Structure formats: structure tokens, C-alpha cells
Amino acid sequence: MSASEIASATLQSHVAGNPYPGRGLVIGKSASGDAWQQVYWIMGRSPNSRNRQFSLNGTTLSTEPFDPSKVEDPSLIIYEAMLELPNQFLVSNGDQTRTLCDGLAAGKTAKQALSIRDREPDAPNYTPRITGQLDLTGDTPEIGLSILKANKIDPSYSDRHYYYPQEPANGLGYGLTTYMGDGNPLPTFNVDPLLLPIAATPEETLDLYWNALDEENRISLAVKEVSFDGSSSRVVLRNKYA
């Protein structure tokens, strides 16, 4: 199978054929070859998790309550999901987006910045913290992915995995999700970053993933398009309850 065929097959098996991959992110190149794209989605099973939507302030993507009167615990569901620094584009499934942004601004590496964070404290699921970084500050672009998840022997500790894959071809991206599928407790993502497709435009990518995600559990989805030199970006998004 070609890389494109693998990516399409993975979209079908891990996203479209999966009722609950959880939150997910993808970073890659547009199929048209003229921009980068970052994808981020949220899903929910509980009323608290489903009571969310994306909001956009400039280029900062955040989660917010759909109905503030029904919020039970905002600590793990309200956060900045996409942030930017000059030529650095960050995405994550929690408030570690801010941790990474502030750390990079202070001159730390991504690993140094995230070293103070752990998996989410939501026993028994211990949801992983997944984070993506598109770094366009150097001579060559770099994609960085990290996942902080509970140690298999003692979940009070976090195992830290960092990936720096080769620059992808047009129409391809690398992705992480929080879970492998539905369950109780939810099975933690336990494979290498996934090869997934990226369409020509952010609008097409948004449709591609929105249509693939489970209709009952999908909540919100956003795609950020970044110019090749990092000089500009724009975000398109869709909320289930809009």
C-alpha cells in the first residue's frame, strides 16, 4: 500500500470505524502542497464533556461551555487548544497548550516545557495529554508530537513519549488520539503516531474528519491552515450545537 492508501485506511479504521477515538490532533501538509494544516477535534460521552464548543479569538482556539449553567467540572474541559508564537503553531487536548507556549517563549524546549505536566487525573481513564507542534523557525520545518500517559505499572506516574517524524508528503499528516476506542475504562492510545490524510483546503479537511467522526459522540472540530513560511494562518471550525 502507498502512504496515501495507508492514511485513508487508517482514517476509516481508527476514526470512521471507531465510535470513540476521543480527542484527536493531526499535523500535516495540504493535498494541494501550498500550506500546512493542523486538525483538532473533541468528542464526549458524558453530559459534562458534551457541554462544550469551540470559540475563536484571533488565531487562538479555545473550548468553552455551550451552556454555562450546566458545567459540572471545568478543569479538564475548558482550555486553549491552539496557540501561536512567531513561526510556532501549537495544538493540544488540554491546558498544556499554554504550558508549552509559555515554555517555548522562555527559551525552553518542548520536552523541558512539558516535563512539569502529567496525564490527566481522571481515574480510571487517566486520559493522555496529546500535544502537537509545527515549528517553522529553522531552516527546515519540524513536526513534534508528544503524549503523556499513565505508567502501566503505577498510574500515579506518567510515561512521556516524544516523536519527531520526517516531513510528510503533500496530503499526509501525523496524528494522535487519546483512546484506541470505546470502553470502560477507556483504552489509552498505545501505538505510534498515525498516518492520516489532509485535504487540499481546510474546509475540505474539516468536512473529511467531521463526516468520519461518530455522529453521536463528535462535539467540535477545527482546522488551522498555516502558510509555508509561517507568516499567516486562519482557522475554520464546526460546532455540533451551533
Side-chain angles (χ1 to χ4, degrees):
M1 295 175 69
S2 68
S4 294
E5 290 170 337
I6 292 172
S8 295
T10 302
L11 179 69
Q12 292 303 311
S13 62
H14 190 76
V15 182
N18 186 349
Y20 206 70
R23 286 166 277 176
L25 62 86
V26 187
I27 302 177
K29 282 184 181 177
S30 68
S32 55
D34 58 1
W36 296 93
Q37 291 184 27
Q38 290 181 320
V39 183
Y40 181 61
W41 71 79
I42 58 176
M43 306 183 77
R45 301 187 305 174
S46 69
N48 192 49
S49 292
R50 290 181 175 182
N51 184 33
R52 291 181 291 173
Q53 61 185 356
F54 283 160
S55 65
L56 190 63
N57 182 7
T59 57
T60 297
L61 181 78
S62 300
T63 63
E64 64 179 21
F66 176 72
D67 184 346
S69 69
K70 296 181 179 179
V71 174
E72 299 171 8
D73 178 7
S75 62
L76 295 177
I77 66 169
I78 308 301
Y79 54 88
E80 298 161 310
M82 288 183 176
L83 289 169
E84 294 184 8
L85 291 167
N87 293 320
Q88 299 247 34
F89 302 87
L90 315 176
V91 56
S92 93
N93 72 324
D95 60 9
Q96 74 270 18
T97 326
R98 172 56 60 184
T99 304
L100 177 57
C101 186
D102 290 348
L104 293 173
K108 296 180 180 179
T109 64
K111 187 175 181 178
Q112 290 169 335
L114 293 172
S115 66
I116 63 173
R117 303 308 304 268
D118 289 286
R119 84 289 181 273
E120 293 185 355
D122 59 336
N125 294 316
Y126 298 109
T127 300
R129 292 190 185 273
I130 56 173
T131 307
Q133 175 186 9
L134 174 61
D135 185 351
L136 303 179
T137 60
D139 294 334
T140 57
E142 184 175 77
I143 293 174
L145 301 170
S146 77
I147 180 166
L148 312 180
K149 57 185 179 179
N151 178 267
K152 293 180 180 179
I153 300 172
D154 184 348
S156 66
Y157 294 101
S158 296
D159 290 339
R160 304 168 186 278
H161 304 264
Y162 296 89
Y163 304 90
Y164 297 92
Q166 178 66 31
E167 181 179 337
N170 296 346
L172 297 174
Y174 299 102
L176 299 171
T177 65
T178 50
Y179 311 120
M180 295 303 294
D182 207 349
N184 191 19
L186 288 158
T188 295
F189 186 82
N190 61 8
V191 295
D192 288 337
L194 305 170
L195 190 62
L196 289 163
I198 299 288
T201 69
E203 290 83 1
E204 290 172 331
T205 300
L206 187 146
D207 284 341
L208 177 67
Y209 282 86
W210 185 260
N211 293 333
L213 289 167
D214 181 81
E215 184 175 357
E216 181 179 357
N217 293 321
R218 68 189 181 192
I219 302 298
S220 296
L221 194 150
V223 182
K224 175 179 283 189
E225 181 182 61
V226 179
S227 62
F228 261 161
D229 63 0
S231 61
S232 64
S233 68
R234 68 183 181 100
V235 178
V236 296
L237 63 86
R238 185 172 298 162
N239 289 313
K240 182 174 185 175
Y241 303 119

